[in-house]
Amino acid sequence: MPHQSVTDQERIIAAAPFETWYGSLQSMFSQMHPTTQETPRLVTNQENNDQPIHRWYSLKESFAASLPTWVRTWMQNQYNHTVQQVCDPFLGSGTTGVALGTLPSTSVIGIEYNPFIRFVAATKASVSSVCTQSLAEQIYKLTHTLPSYRTFSVPDLTTLRNETYSPPANIQYILGEVHRIHNLVVDNSIKQVLLLGVAAIINDAVHLHKDGCALRYHPKPMDVPLNQKLLSRWQYMLSDICQFQSQHGQTNTPLFNVYSGSATNLKQLHTLSTQEIGINNKIADTSIFSPPYLNSFDYSEVYKLELWLLGFIETYDMWRELRLGTLRSHQAIAFPPTNHLRSDHRMQHIADQLDQMVKSSCLPDKQRSKLSRELLGYFDDMYLVLCEQWRILKDGGILAYIVANSRHYFLPVATDVIIGEIARCLGFEPLDLAVLRKRNGRTRQKLYLRESVAFFRKPV
């Protein structure tokens, strides 16, 4: 019997039961708050480009510097909850830490897996301890001393050795500045600021653009010399530090705490000195985080130039190991399968629904295998994340996560309420779901295309 192809209309009809399920899950929340004129800007990073400290290096995928404050205010107004000890298991470049770290009686613990992104956050966290006089002296020294003309070995990354993408002179300049900074006899906090300035101009040094899940060829005029761009970066970083310390004082205490590790296992973390630690039970009264979205983005790929040029990654084996440890939100590498949801009897109905989703005709046969691994792996990982948040959150604590829903071919995935159902089955009490932005895809299936923040309480 000849194979009958599935029409688009049939695929849309096949998605209807899942949309019905999402509707039932959505009803768990006390209130649904629709998007307002104010909220869409909260999930973009445009304002960060003009915000002191945040602007040092703002990830393309980061949210607005004002979002953590908005969430904190919501918790205060809606639940009479005072935010004091915050855990952000997906710290990223430190937006939550910078936004909340200066508030009275508020401390932030952040965990970040990607070593370069963690370096960005840690550098921002050191803003209170940097000696501004020493930093100014080193900036003057570096910009008024001619670098050596030695040739540096280019890291063994194909992209960096492609002269169309990576002009050799520019790569040598970046490597030379990194080398000079490492050789300075100064406090490590000074080196971190200077190195972050170098990292921030890497995008200006190559004919590549961070576009979604990859770096794409994008010719650039490069009419401003890199040394001028770097000096400009260093100058406004110094200005931000001076401004911060004039308002809050200079102290050896970091603005927020940064740890190396995975959000799926907070019992195995490392300090920046590589000392192994573990977060004990019930250390936070608030959890605010935004996990990688289920959108196939591999951030170790998007930020690979920074990882390799600053020496966080030196071999392809190291890079593969890094990618294997990331949250399974992408298909860039073959992750080993797991059955975390299926092994918890409370989650059986969720696992059953996910199985039906990946087997449905909403997905094309050629892509089904990869998409199935991504979808099932993502929610298995988010189950572990929520288990850890249940363990470390104090009784009566509030959890809030920011996430976007997605559509894979004709399969809509309402990530916000699926994660919410996992949280509810673990014991969290659903509170509110606030829709921050509607996403207008080119499809009839727009009902659940949105970015939201979901609020839960851990019962007393």
Side-chain angles (χ1 to χ4, degrees), residues 162-180:
N162 184 320
E163 296 187 8
T164 301
Y165 298 157
S166 308
N170 290 356
I171 299 304
Q172 285 297 313
Y173 175 77
I174 297 293
L175 292 171
E177 292 304 298
V178 170
H179 176 78
R180 290 210 294 165

Side-chain angles (χ1 to χ4, degrees), residues 373-386:
R373 289 199 302 269
E374 180 182 352
L375 190 74
L376 298 176
Y378 181 83
F379 289 109
D380 253 17
D381 282 350
M382 288 309 302
Y383 165 79
L384 296 179
V385 170
L386 290 171

Side-chain angles (χ1 to χ4, degrees), residues 145-164:
T145 303
L146 289 177
S148 64
Y149 289 96
R150 59 171 287 191
T151 300
F152 296 92
S153 177
V154 178
D156 189 22
L157 178 68
T158 304
T159 306
L160 291 173
R161 300 190 174 204
N162 184 320
E163 296 187 8
T164 301

Side-chain angles (χ1 to χ4, degrees), residues 284-320:
D285 56 49
T286 309
S287 176
I288 302 173
F289 62 90
S290 182
Y293 295 169
L294 187 56
N295 55 13
S296 299
F297 286 14
D298 174 14
Y299 299 120
S300 52
E301 166 70 23
V302 175
Y303 296 98
K304 64 183 179 183
L305 299 186
E306 291 85 351
L307 282 164
W308 287 75
L309 285 171
L310 270 68
F312 295 107
I313 295 294
E314 297 177 353
T315 67
Y316 275 93
D317 285 341
M318 291 176 64
W319 196 26
R320 175 178 171 78

Side-chain angles (χ1 to χ4, degrees), residues 297-362:
F297 286 14
D298 174 14
Y299 299 120
S300 52
E301 166 70 23
V302 175
Y303 296 98
K304 64 183 179 183
L305 299 186
E306 291 85 351
L307 282 164
W308 287 75
L309 285 171
L310 270 68
F312 295 107
I313 295 294
E314 297 177 353
T315 67
Y316 275 93
D317 285 341
M318 291 176 64
W319 196 26
R320 175 178 171 78
E321 183 180 357
L322 176 69
R323 298 170 103 177
L324 280 171
T326 58
L327 198 80
R328 287 176 285 178
S329 61
H330 59 88
Q331 308 166 22
I333 196 165
F335 294 97
T338 56
N339 285 290
H340 301 311
L341 280 171
R342 180 68 69 186
S343 64
D344 188 332
H345 68 91
R346 298 169 295 178
M347 309 290 164
Q348 290 297 315
H349 65 293
I350 304 174
D352 289 343
Q353 283 283 357
L354 293 174
D355 283 344
Q356 292 179 35
M357 289 165 64
V358 299
K359 292 175 182 176
S360 75
S361 59
C362 298

Side-chain angles (χ1 to χ4, degrees), residues 121-355:
T123 304
K124 293 177 180 178
S126 71
V127 63
S128 58
S129 63
V130 174
C131 176
T132 54
Q133 180 179 347
S134 178
L135 177 59
E137 291 172 354
Q138 297 307 318
I139 292 174
Y140 182 88
K141 177 181 177 180
L142 289 167
T143 54
H144 288 79
T145 303
L146 289 177
S148 64
Y149 289 96
R150 59 171 287 191
T151 300
F152 296 92
S153 177
V154 178
D156 189 22
L157 178 68
T158 304
T159 306
L160 291 173
R161 300 190 174 204
N162 184 320
E163 296 187 8
T164 301
Y165 298 157
S166 308
N170 290 356
I171 299 304
Q172 285 297 313
Y173 175 77
I174 297 293
L175 292 171
E177 292 304 298
V178 170
H179 176 78
R180 290 210 294 165
I181 293 167
H182 278 305
N183 283 343
L184 294 175
V185 184
V186 292
D187 186 79
N188 189 56
S189 63
I190 303 291
K191 291 185 180 182
Q192 284 186 303
V193 172
L194 295 171
L195 286 170
L196 184 54
V198 175
I201 68 162
I202 288 175
N203 187 59
D204 298 313
V206 295
H207 294 296
L208 294 165
H209 174 66
K210 291 178 171 64
D211 182 18
C213 60
L215 292 175
R216 304 195 186 280
Y217 178 57
H218 180 71
K220 301 171 186 175
M222 297 186 180
D223 47 354
V224 179
L226 289 179
N227 62 340
Q228 291 184 24
K229 286 182 175 290
L230 182 56
L231 175 59
S232 176
R233 285 276 178 177
W234 283 341
Q235 286 176 332
Y236 73 63
M237 292 172 79
L238 174 61
S239 174
D240 288 352
I241 296 170
C242 290
Q243 178 183 342
F244 178 90
Q245 292 185 3
S246 68
Q247 295 174 349
H248 304 283
Q250 184 178 4
T251 172
N252 290 328
T253 304
L255 185 58
F256 52 96
N257 296 298
V258 180
Y259 295 111
S260 165
S262 170
T264 62
N265 186 358
L266 302 185
K267 294 177 182 177
Q268 294 183 357
L269 301 180
H270 291 79
T271 63
L272 292 181
S273 63
T274 73
Q275 177 186 0
E276 187 169 344
I277 66 166
I279 290 184
N280 297 321
N281 294 346
K282 299 183 179 181
I283 54 89
D285 56 49
T286 309
S287 176
I288 302 173
F289 62 90
S290 182
Y293 295 169
L294 187 56
N295 55 13
S296 299
F297 286 14
D298 174 14
Y299 299 120
S300 52
E301 166 70 23
V302 175
Y303 296 98
K304 64 183 179 183
L305 299 186
E306 291 85 351
L307 282 164
W308 287 75
L309 285 171
L310 270 68
F312 295 107
I313 295 294
E314 297 177 353
T315 67
Y316 275 93
D317 285 341
M318 291 176 64
W319 196 26
R320 175 178 171 78
E321 183 180 357
L322 176 69
R323 298 170 103 177
L324 280 171
T326 58
L327 198 80
R328 287 176 285 178
S329 61
H330 59 88
Q331 308 166 22
I333 196 165
F335 294 97
T338 56
N339 285 290
H340 301 311
L341 280 171
R342 180 68 69 186
S343 64
D344 188 332
H345 68 91
R346 298 169 295 178
M347 309 290 164
Q348 290 297 315
H349 65 293
I350 304 174
D352 289 343
Q353 283 283 357
L354 293 174
D355 283 344

Side-chain angles (χ1 to χ4, degrees), residues 400-420:
Y401 59 81
I402 302 98
V403 73
N405 296 343
S406 56
R407 175 177 175 268
H408 301 262
Y409 291 90
F410 287 86
L411 178 65
V413 182
T415 304
D416 53 7
V417 294
I418 298 175
I419 293 177

